Amino acid sequence: MLQVAINGYGTIGKRVADAVRQQPDMEVLGVAKTRPNFEAETAIEKGFALYAAVEEREELFAEAGLEIAGPVEDLVADADVVVDATPSGIGAQNKELYEEYDTPALYQGGEDADLTDVSFNARSNFEDAVDADHVRVVSCNTTGLSRVIAPLREAYGVEKVRATLVRRGGDPGQTSRGPINDILPNPVTIPSHHGPDVETIFPDLDIDTLGMKVPATLMHMHSLNVTLEEEVDAADVRELFADESRLFLIPERMDIDGSGKLKEYALDAGRPRGDIWENCIWEESVSTVGRDCYLFQGIHQESDVVPENVDAIRAVTGAADAEESIETTNETLGIGF
Ligand SMILES: NC(=O)C1=CN([C@@H]2O[C@H](COP(=O)(O)OP(=O)(O)OC[C@H]3O[C@@H](n4cnc5c(N)ncnc54)[C@H](OP(=O)(O)O)[C@@H]3O)[C@@H](O)[C@H]2O)C=CC1
Ligand SMILES: O=C(OP(=O)(O)O)[C@H](O)COP(=O)(O)O
């Protein structure tokens, strides 16, 4: 059994912890936090060993009646792999700690690409992360773009990708985020960081991305134009996507017209926290004009990177190959509506 440490138990960390717990070949050794808020309480209620990420704050947990298993150093020392899911920039500060204990580490998309040798997307470059010591699981948006680009490249070749990303302003719990009543070019400079980030997965890809932020919390929305190297019927592209386990083609008959109904569907389907691990591509939007392919997809920012983290754990520990890992992760989490 792989012993997995989760350092940073917030939006991503708590989801990764639950997903790891469902795997037959790994278990959660413990989770680390800096303060005894509601997430610390639920971690304890779920039976996760809770470690103090900052030694001086350990007594705050005792004052709140929460039992601490030890300092984060103990957790890192005893783990086979650590998933760092701390806020952007903190992962870079933690790298020294993981190196000190010689524990392989995964970082999240908020960290700079040059923090690690490998940026990871299970469908696209699992092998690059095999036995690596430091791997960055790319951001929710980059994951969403990579999952679509990989099969298109393999099947038809891709000349150029142009993507406009309509980004949710913040997660549902991020009460300090905005905009509240505006539409922001964000970043206003072009390309947005997403294009170069996708190139960490596909170094020779020609891609331009533009970003915006809107007053929404549920999901991101991508408008994609991919110029292929050959003319293809839209029906063939739809078939290609239908074979991809982490792409959900929303059928017209479902009458799902946006992120709100997608989330409602996920909740109705019994998904934990209403999570949607798959890219949600509107089937009717998949169109071709000559060599240009177009589509709209919704990306659930809080959860699409969760299965990717589980697969990255297997990659860095050499526990399984891509096909086996993706299959196990999909089956255990229930990926595929
Ligand atoms: N949310 C999203 O949509 C996505 C986020 N990401 C990336 O994932 C990473 C984490 O983001 P997210 O989960 O949203 O962030 P959150 O703020 O929700 O969670 C981060 C957690 O880390 C804890 N933390 C803070 N400082 C430390 C520390 N020094 N050591 C250990 N834990 C600490 C915080 O807990 P405490 O209360 O104890 O301070 C908090 O619960 C970022 O790189 C982000 O860019 C990637 C894809 C999507
Ligand atoms: O990695 C994300 O988005 P991004 O790919 O647009 O940077 C996550 O949705 C987190 O974004 P945030 O930096 O707005 O919290």
Side-chain angles (χ1 to χ4, degrees):
M1 278 291 208
L2 289 171
Q3 301 297 314
V4 181
I6 317 274
N7 192 14
Y9 189 77
T11 304
I12 302 299
K14 64 189 175 187
R15 287 173 167 82
V16 172
D18 286 351
V20 165
R21 188 175 247 182
Q22 286 174 264
Q23 306 308 307
D25 53 347
M26 52 185 86
E27 57 192 22
V28 179
L29 186 60
V31 305
K33 277 191 54 63
T34 70
R35 60 195 173 109
N37 70 345
F38 75 97
E39 282 159 332
E41 290 219 18
T42 49
I44 295 266
E45 275 162 25
K46 283 172 177 240
F48 292 127
L50 185 61
Y51 288 73
V54 180
E55 205 178 341
E56 307 83 69
R57 299 206 197 151
E58 207 170 315
E59 63 195 45
L60 295 178
F61 290 90
E63 282 166 20
L66 299 179
E67 194 186 333
I68 284 291
V72 68
E73 286 77 10
D74 288 359
L75 177 62
V76 172
D78 293 343
D80 295 314
V81 55
V82 54
V83 179
D84 186 298
T86 58
S88 304
I90 306 283
Q93 294 172 22
N94 287 337
K95 188 175 183 185
E96 209 176 274
L97 170 69
Y98 309 141
E99 283 175 335
E100 189 182 333
Y101 291 97
D102 211 12
T103 308
L106 307 183
Y107 305 85
Q108 306 305 312
E111 303 301 327
D112 288 343
D114 59 11
L115 178 68
T116 63
D117 294 335
V118 183
S119 288
F120 179 87
N121 171 249
R123 171 64 178 80
S124 312
N125 70 340
F126 185 101
E127 290 72 22
D128 292 350
V130 172
D131 294 332
D133 285 332
H134 301 274
V135 169
R136 185 179 70 116
V137 175
V138 292
S139 82
C140 46
N141 280 313
T142 305
T143 295
L145 290 168
S146 301
R147 285 178 180 169
V148 168
I149 292 166
L152 289 175
R153 267 167 68 98
E154 285 165 18
Y156 314 118
V158 167
E159 186 178 296
K160 170 103 190 169
V161 180
R162 296 174 179 85
T164 301
L165 284 61
V166 181
R167 304 158 68 198
R168 62 81 179 100
D171 295 338
Q174 289 177 309
T175 41
S176 60
R177 288 286 193 102
I180 293 175
N181 179 22
D182 212 340
I183 300 172
L184 312 179
N186 187 295
V188 69
T189 50
I190 294 165
S192 68
H193 61 278
H194 307 92
D197 207 27
V198 173
E199 286 165 352
T200 65
I201 301 290
F202 308 103
D204 59 341
L205 184 73
D206 186 359
I207 176 167
D208 291 338
T209 53
L210 292 79
M212 289 189 267
K213 277 196 178 174
V214 295
T217 61
L218 298 180
M219 294 176 81
H220 300 297
M221 182 78 77
H222 296 176
S223 160
L224 230 74
N225 163 212
V226 183
T227 306
L228 303 168
E229 286 176 354
E230 58 186 89
E231 283 197 19
V232 184
D233 283 345
D236 292 335
V237 179
R238 290 175 192 177
E239 252 177 60
L240 178 79
F241 288 161
D243 283 343
E244 292 289 317
S245 63
R246 292 181 186 169
L247 301 183
F248 167 47
L249 277 181
I250 308 166
E252 187 177 356
R253 64 178 159 73
M254 279 194 163
D255 194 22
I256 291 176
D257 59 5
S259 307
K261 287 209 184 73
L262 268 172
K263 286 289 288 177
E264 190 69 8
Y265 177 49
L267 287 163
D268 287 352
R271 291 286 181 97
R273 300 184 175 94
D275 282 349
I276 310 175
W277 304 289
E278 308 87 342
N279 293 24
C280 301
I281 300 174
W282 275 269
E283 188 166 15
E284 304 145 85
S285 75
V286 179
S287 317
T288 54
V289 180
R291 290 191 290 121
D292 280 318
C293 174
Y294 298 91
L295 62 87
F296 288 121
Q297 64 174 358
I299 299 295
H300 185 220
Q301 75 281 353
E302 295 173 289
S303 67
D304 75 327
V305 298
V306 171
E308 307 296 330
N309 272 276
V310 173
D311 291 328
I313 291 170
R314 293 203 183 89
V316 297
T317 54
D321 63 19
E323 195 182 340
E324 196 186 336
S325 178
I326 290 171
E327 200 180 311
T328 306
T329 308
N330 289 351
E331 219 174 276
T332 49
L333 296 189
I335 290 179
F337 280 109

